[in-house]
Amino acid sequence: MNKLDDKCILLTGATGGIGQAVLQQLLVCGAKVIITGRDSLMLNKLAGLAPEKINTFAGDLTDDATRRALLAYCQQLGGIDMLINNAGISQFSAANDQQLQTLVNTNLLSPMLLTQLFLPMLRLTKGTILNVGSTFGSIGYAGFTGYCATKFGLRGYTEALKRELADTGVRVLYLAPRATRTAINSPQVDALNQALGQGVDTADVVAKALVEQLQGGRPRRFLGMAENVFVRVNALFPAVVDHALSGKLKQIKQFFIGTGVKNSAEV
Ligand SMILES: NC(=O)c1ccc[n+]([C@@H]2O[C@H](COP(=O)([O-])OP(=O)(O)OC[C@H]3O[C@@H](n4cnc5c(N)ncnc54)[C@H](OP(=O)(O)O)[C@@H]3O)[C@@H](O)[C@H]2O)c1
């Protein structure tokens, strides 16, 4: 088991629902955490939980200069052992209304570029990269075309990187939460999940799974029993899932109205 008590961990998206729960768990394990997000007030508030264990960095990770400044800040603090790429946004709407550039920049390009920047440091520490994906990184779902594309991409990137770094001592992990109760989901998505009887986790459930994965090193983890089955069936027999989801399409589309990108700077 990998101990976390002497580790320095960079956590993106720390101000969000899952990020805050992960931070709490990491502190329980005795880790030092560098937390990032755009909301500096929230970052300062979170730092108050354990000022001796938490350092904060506020900024938009889609910006190249910000990512480089974050690297410099972490170098100044003595480097990191683990990078958790957790920051993300979502959008639920018809494909024509999707803000694709913002979704791709935030959910796919930024974590890839951040990983690239931190790789030399992580090679030195034989560190860990954990990318937070989604069930929708394995199952294409109506209304989430852009989001699904970014999470499919992140899963592919993680798998290729893991295989490329297999001889370096750097661990590359992928965690796919299912629907989780946080602000990333618009009221329409919450209502859709309820209407479809979709299982929804708390952020604590995801955070516990994430920390277990950091400690145990399981390379891939998909949360939710039904979602696990669905992911496997979709991989082997996609037509079965096409059929199952087409039966729900009318209901899904009823929730399209009035949706938008959550947490995005672009309106
Ligand atoms: N909740 C779910 O249903 C669910 C399901 C599967 C996977 N996930 C994944 O879990 C991760 C965390 O999501 P969450 O549910 O905790 O969402 P959330 O509560 O909305 O938090 C999102 C976090 O990402 C940060 N962020 C967004 N855009 C950013 C940017 N441009 N630069 C820097 N930080 C940015 C936000 O920071 P600020 O607000 O401070 O800007 C916030 O800390 C995401 O990758 C998401 O895709 C969530």
Side-chain angles (χ1 to χ4, degrees):
M1 184 159 117
N2 292 281
K3 287 187 155 191
L4 301 180
D5 59 353
D6 56 342
K7 298 290 186 270
C8 182
I9 302 177
L10 172 58
L11 172 64
T12 74
T15 53
I18 291 175
Q20 288 189 36
V22 169
L23 172 63
Q24 302 262 11
Q25 293 285 325
L26 292 176
L27 291 174
V28 170
C29 295
K32 283 184 286 177
V33 193
I34 302 169
I35 57 174
T36 75
R38 291 166 299 185
D39 182 345
S40 50
L41 282 181
M42 180 56 84
L43 287 172
N44 290 338
K45 193 174 155 198
L46 291 171
L49 292 172
E52 68 296 347
K53 290 278 189 187
I54 300 176
N55 286 286
T56 65
F57 180 93
D60 185 337
L61 291 177
T62 62
D63 176 55
D64 186 50
T66 304
R67 288 190 300 269
R68 287 179 191 281
L70 176 58
L71 175 67
Y73 180 68
C74 293
Q75 281 166 335
Q76 225 178 59
L77 293 173
I80 60 163
D81 302 291
M82 298 188 182
L83 165 63
I84 303 174
N85 283 309
N86 167 66
I89 56 171
S90 181
Q91 183 178 13
F92 174 64
S93 68
N96 278 356
D97 300 331
Q98 294 270 311
Q99 294 177 24
L100 296 174
Q101 207 155 343
T102 308
L103 283 163
V104 172
N105 280 343
T106 308
N107 291 0
L108 182 58
L109 209 47
S110 298
M112 286 167 65
L113 290 167
L114 200 63
T115 300
Q116 216 174 30
L117 270 184
F118 277 86
L119 253 184
M121 185 187 280
L122 290 165
R123 277 177 188 271
L124 282 180
T125 54
K126 295 203 186 308
T128 299
I129 299 156
L130 187 148
N131 291 333
V132 177
S134 167
T135 306
F136 286 175
S138 300
I139 296 174
Y141 206 91
F144 289 96
T145 46
Y147 183 77
C148 286
T150 63
K151 294 295 184 178
F152 268 69
L154 188 65
R155 183 168 59 84
Y157 177 71
T158 310
E159 186 171 278
L161 188 67
K162 176 199 158 20
R163 290 172 182 170
E164 182 173 321
L165 298 182
D167 58 355
T168 64
V170 177
R171 299 185 308 162
V172 185
L173 317 176
Y174 178 78
L175 174 68
R178 65 173 180 176
T180 308
R181 206 161 293 112
T182 74
I184 204 171
N185 296 315
S186 63
Q188 287 84 356
V189 173
D190 288 338
L192 172 67
N193 285 335
Q194 202 175 2
L196 296 178
Q198 181 73 46
V200 180
D201 282 326
T202 63
D204 282 342
V205 165
V206 180
K208 282 194 184 115
L210 188 151
V211 168
E212 265 172 36
Q213 208 179 348
L214 287 180
Q215 290 169 325
R218 200 165 140 189
R220 311 169 175 83
R221 189 154 178 203
F222 296 82
L223 300 186
M225 192 118 67
E227 288 74 7
N228 250 292
V229 173
F230 219 41
V231 164
R232 282 159 211 261
V233 172
N234 193 51
L236 292 173
F237 309 109
V240 172
V241 178
D242 289 347
H243 183 69
L245 290 180
S246 73
K248 295 179 176 175
L249 187 57
K250 199 171 164 201
Q251 204 176 0
I252 294 169
K253 285 188 172 176
Q254 282 170 356
F255 292 90
F256 273 3
I257 308 144
T259 56
V261 166
K262 299 288 290 179
N263 270 327
S264 163
E266 181 185 295
V267 182

